Amino acid sequence: MIEARANLAVYHLEQPTPRTCKLSLLDSMHFDVEKIPQKPFHPIFHVQRGHIKQPGWSLDQLKSRVSHATGLTRESITIDDPRIVACRDVRIPTPQMDYISVLLTVVADFFGEDAARHQIKTGFRALLKHVRNGENIARKAQQAEILERRWTASDPSDFCVAHWYGESA
C-alpha cells in the first residue's frame, strides 16, 4: 500500500561576508500519509515536527543547491542543522499534504506578502486549481478515498478530526 511523506525545512540565511553564508535551521516538519491498514491512534494524514530521512536528500545536497543558487563555493557554506526538534511526537491531523500541497502552503506563506504582484496571484490560483482537481493523482490515493468515505458516511455536520483516525470507521 502507498506510504508517502513530504518534508519541509525552513532555514535562516545569513551572509556574514560577500563570499560566505550560513544556514541555520529554524524549524522542520514532515507530512505523512499512513499506510493501509492504518495504525491505531495515527491520523491518516498528519504533520509532525522534525525531518524524516529520505533517500536522495542530504545536507551535502542542500549545500550543493545553495552553492548553485548563490554562486558561492561549497566550502564557504556552513549549515547549522541539528535535526533535533522538541516535541516531535505530536501528530496533528491535516488535510492531504502531498508535495504540491506543501508547495502551495510555502508559496502562500512566503510569497503572500507580494500578493499584489499579478504573477504571484496567477501562479497561486493555478496551484489551487491543480490541488483541487479531481484528476490530481495524489487525490486518488486509497487513503484519500477512505477519509472521504468516513466523512460522507456520517451527517455532514458531524465532520470533525475524528474522521482522521481508523478507530472512527
Side-chain angles (χ1 to χ4, degrees):
M1 293 296 158
I2 187 173
E3 177 185 22
R5 61 177 53 106
N7 282 311
L8 175 63
V10 180
Y11 293 87
H12 170 72
L13 176 70
E14 180 184 344
Q15 218 161 350
T17 74
R19 294 187 166 170
T20 64
C21 78
K22 178 182 178 182
L23 277 73
S24 300
L25 182 68
L26 295 175
D27 202 356
S28 65
M29 60 196 74
H30 64 276
F31 300 87
D32 286 337
V33 175
E34 281 295 308
K35 287 183 186 176
I36 302 298
Q38 185 177 349
K39 290 183 226 162
F41 307 105
H42 283 232
I44 198 158
F45 299 115
H46 61 272
V47 63
Q48 278 179 266
R49 296 190 64 217
H51 293 53
I52 292 289
K53 287 189 177 191
Q54 296 214 310
W57 182 252
S58 67
L59 291 179
D60 223 32
Q61 289 170 313
L62 175 59
K63 195 177 270 196
S64 292
R65 290 176 185 215
V66 172
S67 173
H68 179 75
T70 62
L72 298 172
T73 64
R74 289 173 43 83
E75 295 74 32
S76 65
I77 300 166
T78 57
I79 302 175
D80 175 21
D81 188 351
R83 301 209 177 208
I84 297 171
V85 179
C87 204
R88 183 190 175 282
D89 292 328
V90 174
R91 292 178 184 92
I92 302 168
T94 66
Q96 180 175 329
M97 295 297 286
D98 52 76
Y99 284 108
I100 298 297
S101 298
V102 172
L103 176 62
L104 180 76
T105 62
V106 169
V107 169
D109 290 341
F110 289 93
F111 299 101
E113 298 292 321
D114 294 331
R117 291 186 25 216
H118 179 70
Q119 291 171 298
I120 300 293
K121 283 182 180 177
T122 302
F124 189 70
R125 285 186 183 129
L127 272 174
L128 282 171
K129 185 176 181 181
H130 179 73
V131 169
R132 281 193 311 253
N133 186 341
E135 297 304 311
N136 175 358
I137 190 75
R139 293 191 55 206
K140 300 284 186 190
Q142 187 178 16
Q143 292 88 337
E145 291 173 357
I146 288 170
L147 180 59
E148 184 177 7
R149 278 195 306 270
R150 285 180 191 162
W151 84 64
T152 57
S154 62
D155 180 338
S157 66
D158 289 340
F159 180 60
C160 66
V161 72
H163 293 96
W164 270 250
Y165 293 88
E167 291 81 359
S168 71

